[in-house]
Amino acid sequence: MKAQERAVHTGHDNTISGRRLVLVAVCCAAVTAPLAFTGIAVGLPAISREIGGSPIQLNWALNAFILTFGSTLMAAGALADTYGRKKVFLSGLAAFGLLSIGLIFTSDIVWFDLLRALQGVGAAAAFAGGLAALAQEFDGATRLRAFSIVGANFGIGLAFGPVAAGWMITTLGWPAIFMLLVVLVGIGLVLGAIFMRGSRDPTASGIDWKGAISFTLALTALTFGVLQAPESGWDDPLVVVLLTAAVLLFVAFGLIERTVARPMLDLSLFRFPRFVGAQLLAVAPAYAFVVLLVLMPVRFIGIEGMDEIEAGQMMIALSAPLLVLPIAAGLLTRWLAPAAICGAGLAIAAVGLYWLGRFPVGSDPAALVAPLITIGVGIGLPWGLMDGLAVSVVPRERAGMATGIFSTSRVAGEGVALALVSAVLSLLISANLGAAAGGPAGSVAQRLVTGDLPEAAALVPSMERAALLQGYSAGFSTLLVLLSAITMLTAIVVFLFLGRSHETVEDIEDEAEEAAATAIPPDKAALCSQP
């Protein structure tokens, strides 16, 4: 029995122009979320100078947002299905805008991090509610195109956030980033309120709160533990407790999702190679591209001494291919299989990462342009296909979960990847500094990772600046080689798994329903079916 999606609609504008304006509203949300992430990466040195903060507190300025954004996406999708997609979209977008205004006037790093965490929740509600609403506004091929357009706008916000932020910080100061977010939110709110239809899933049976809480706590414990480890040591009791708790909570989440009637995440889908391939494709840009959107501006501004505009100009080489390549990749599908395009793109990105790792700190900036473009080209090829592929391998009976799974894989992957990569870079730098830095090597490495070269030098006044730069440079190069190897392995797996063209959405829906029926004991299934 094939699952049929049913929705209750209220509203008044279902014309083509009305649907297009709904798409514009959702695209505003799709741009603001990644801009709030990558824009702050460029502004971190300026924020540090103005409101201060330790390395961990500054890392949380980035990670608090991406953590709550990624961990609450699936719950937000379920809320949208239950209480109405338009309501969740508008509420999330309004909260995001109000919190952006609050961040403009924040002068304490702790409050800044807290507001950033709450801002991530608002972004999740807006993004999940908007995508779920789009699934009701469009159907068939137009739905795939609409989702691809949203994905492209998400990519624009992610890739060109550093460029826009660099110009705004230099000319207006770092609060200007949040001013731009408020403007985009205003456009999305007006269009969404007027043209978006109210819709919900009448079969929704409430929120999987146990799953939502366990998943959020697991990601929080993992991220906190990974961020704390470079400063306290991996054998520190707090770090050990956090990482152990993360493992136990992920196990608990898996057990919960196998027993509830309406899980946030249908784990039986992971039996299908194409579904697994789509999730790997969602995660791959996190460590092959997104981490560079944070690490490279920090390197250019904090370590190499560029100003924000110069750093933004350098980042154009990495970002520019995303303006053209996603569209070109869509055209290439007439002759090439999506699996081949995605696999080849990730392989090209792996080559670019290795190439970039050959240039130490202090190299001629012009020499970095070619490898940065290569990475951008590699990620640009699968970027425009990812959202469409995700829709094609996910069941459609619940629009919120259908869009939430892929978005969660992508966003949560970015948060975890950034925390892990920052920790690994800190370890590599600390190892390179070694005995020359003595006891403070770990603290020095932490400061270098956040681009605070003056403070790092102050911690070891006996160490020459050139030695600090050499330790950072060697660690950065080693990190890029590691990322290159991981990306190449992912390219091979994605090519093989997405190539399983015999699996269709209907196959997955039918087998998933059969698996769900056998996974829940008859007595529990009877209880779950009761109102």
Side-chain angles (χ1 to χ4, degrees):
M1 181 181 66
K2 294 180 172 60
Q4 301 293 325
E5 183 182 274
R6 293 170 294 172
V8 175
H9 295 286
T10 62
H12 44 267
D13 197 322
N14 193 31
T15 63
I16 293 177
S17 60
R19 290 197 298 270
R20 287 175 178 171
L21 290 172
V22 171
L23 178 58
V24 172
V26 177
C27 284
C28 286
V31 170
T32 55
L35 180 59
F37 174 57
T38 58
I40 294 302
V42 176
L44 208 56
I47 293 171
S48 174
R49 288 193 299 268
E50 186 164 327
I51 64 178
S54 67
I56 282 188
Q57 290 172 328
L58 292 171
N59 277 327
W60 274 115
L62 292 171
N63 284 282
F65 175 84
I66 203 70
L67 171 65
T68 54
F69 184 24
S71 62
T72 58
L73 266 172
M74 285 194 291
L79 282 170
D81 284 338
T82 303
Y83 297 108
R85 287 129 186 173
K86 180 176 181 177
K87 289 181 181 178
V88 172
F89 172 76
L90 294 178
S91 299
L93 204 56
F96 183 91
L98 290 173
L99 289 163
S100 297
I101 295 173
L103 283 160
I104 294 174
F105 301 100
T106 302
S107 58
D108 181 83
I109 188 64
V110 175
W111 278 104
F112 189 91
D113 291 347
L114 179 60
L115 292 179
R116 287 282 289 166
L118 295 174
Q119 192 184 37
V121 177
F127 196 63
L131 289 181
L134 276 188
Q136 310 306 312
E137 299 286 346
F138 297 90
D139 197 11
T142 57
R143 176 189 286 181
L144 293 179
R145 284 196 295 271
F147 273 74
S148 294
I149 291 171
V150 172
N153 277 271
F154 190 93
I156 290 172
L158 197 64
F160 289 91
V163 180
W167 180 82
M168 287 187 292
I169 292 168
T170 302
T171 56
L172 301 172
W174 63 264
I177 301 172
F178 297 107
M179 295 177 190
L180 174 60
L181 295 178
V182 171
V183 172
L184 292 171
V185 164
I187 296 172
L189 280 174
V190 171
L191 294 179
I194 296 174
F195 296 101
M196 185 178 286
R197 296 182 296 164
S199 66
R200 63 178 178 84
D201 181 359
T203 67
S205 56
I207 310 302
D208 174 19
W209 288 114
K210 292 181 180 178
I213 292 171
S214 60
F215 184 73
T216 301
L217 290 177
L219 274 181
T220 302
L222 176 61
T223 305
F224 192 4
V226 171
L227 288 176
Q228 185 70 35
E231 180 171 303
S232 303
W234 290 92
D235 58 349
D236 180 76
L238 176 60
V239 174
V240 172
V241 168
L242 287 169
L243 296 181
T244 302
V247 173
L248 295 176
L249 286 165
F250 276 124
V251 171
F253 172 71
L255 293 175
I256 290 168
E257 297 307 280
R258 289 178 62 87
T259 57
V260 297
R262 294 293 298 269
M264 287 198 312
L265 175 61
D266 187 351
L267 296 176
S268 66
L269 293 172
F270 285 93
R271 297 186 298 114
F272 300 95
R274 289 196 75 217
F275 179 82
V276 175
Q279 307 318 305
L280 287 175
L281 187 60
V283 173
Y287 48 80
F289 178 76
V290 174
V291 294
L292 296 184
L293 296 175
V294 176
L295 296 180
M296 293 308 295
V298 170
R299 169 175 164 171
F300 289 146
I301 298 170
I303 304 299
E304 306 215 32
M306 296 184 186
D307 62 31
E308 284 81 3
I309 290 182
E310 291 173 329
Q313 290 171 341
M314 287 296 298
M315 296 302 292
I316 291 176
L318 184 65
S319 308
L322 268 74
L323 286 177
V324 179
L325 267 296
I327 299 174
L331 297 175
L332 286 175
T333 55
R334 299 178 181 179
W335 303 282
L336 299 173
I341 298 172
C342 294
L346 292 179
I348 292 171
V351 172
L353 287 165
Y354 182 82
W355 189 5
L356 183 62
R358 309 307 296 170
F359 295 97
V361 169
S363 299
D364 182 0
L368 304 181
V369 172
L372 288 172
I373 290 177
T374 302
I375 297 169
V377 167
I379 293 299
L381 284 172
W383 195 280
L385 304 179
M386 290 193 297
D387 292 86
L389 286 170
V391 172
S392 72
V393 298
V394 174
R396 290 170 293 195
E397 66 266 20
R398 284 193 296 155
M401 187 185 77
T403 57
I405 292 175
F406 178 79
S407 298
T408 298
S409 296
R410 176 162 58 186
V411 179
E414 291 168 2
V416 173
L418 180 58
L420 286 172
V421 167
S422 297
V424 170
L425 179 58
S426 181
L427 283 174
L428 292 171
I429 295 172
S430 179
N432 289 327
L433 296 176
S443 298
V444 173
Q446 282 263 61
R447 290 293 181 181
L448 290 174
V449 169
T450 59
D452 194 347
L453 181 58
E455 182 62 27
L459 290 174
V460 281
S462 61
M463 196 170 185
E464 294 185 2
R465 179 188 178 95
L468 287 175
L469 294 177
Q470 173 60 30
Y472 175 91
S473 180
F476 204 98
S477 295
T478 302
L479 174 68
L480 290 175
V481 172
L482 292 174
L483 294 179
S484 173
I486 296 171
T487 304
M488 184 62 75
L489 178 61
T490 306
I492 296 171
V493 176
V494 165
F495 173 73
L496 295 175
F497 280 22
L498 285 180
R500 302 288 189 91
S501 58
H502 61 278
E503 285 181 8
T504 64
V505 171
E506 288 75 17
D507 295 332
I508 293 177
E509 288 176 344
D510 293 344
E511 294 192 34
E513 289 183 359
E514 293 175 6
T518 58
I520 304 177
D523 56 335
K524 290 186 178 181
L527 290 173
C528 292
S529 64
Q530 295 177 5

